[in-house]
Amino acid sequence: MDETLQDSVVVAAQDNARNDDTWLNSIARSATPGGAPDPLAGSTRDFLTTVARKPTERADAFWQWNQARIEHDVFPFGKALMEAPKPTTALRYLGGSTRSGLNFSSQE
């Protein structure tokens, strides 16, 4: 293998490892005081487009972030109507909390 090519491969591997560490550290830096990831930081895309050393690292980071979103009732797909659709309704979130209010989006 050409020395220049070999050096390029080594540098690329080091950059990739550094980027993985930066990505994992950025999740830790955005953590709430309790240590959970900030539920309002980032998006699902951040976990899909980032290369981790192991797929389980990426999956675990996503799970922790998603759980934080559920606990803070900001997971957009984590709620269900508690009664038939009408102008006002009650919702139950995945975290167990409930809220009542105007119904702007459900359909029969």
Side-chain angles (χ1 to χ4, degrees):
M1 181 183 289
D2 182 307
E3 274 187 51
T4 305
L5 179 60
Q6 186 174 1
D7 291 343
S8 298
V9 169
V10 170
V11 169
Q14 290 169 344
D15 285 347
N16 192 24
R18 191 170 23 260
N19 287 341
D20 290 347
D21 292 339
T22 301
W23 173 71
L24 293 172
N25 290 336
S26 71
I27 292 171
R29 278 196 304 274
S30 68
T32 60
D38 182 355
L40 299 177
S43 72
T44 303
R45 184 176 184 272
D46 295 335
F47 298 93
L48 295 174
T49 60
T50 304
V51 177
R53 284 186 295 267
K54 299 178 191 171
T56 54
E57 288 177 347
R58 183 172 51 197
D60 185 49
F62 174 74
W63 178 250
Q64 290 176 19
W65 174 75
N66 205 34
Q67 281 300 112
R69 292 175 63 83
I70 290 169
E71 289 170 12
H72 290 86
D73 294 332
V74 295
F75 181 62
F77 308 108
K79 52 191 172 264
L81 290 174
M82 295 175 56
E83 54 194 28
K86 52 187 179 182
T88 59
T89 193
L91 295 173
R92 178 174 308 280
Y93 288 81
L94 284 176
S97 65
T98 59
R99 293 207 176 102
S100 297
L102 294 175
N103 182 3
F104 288 106
S105 63
S106 70
Q107 300 174 1
E108 295 182 23

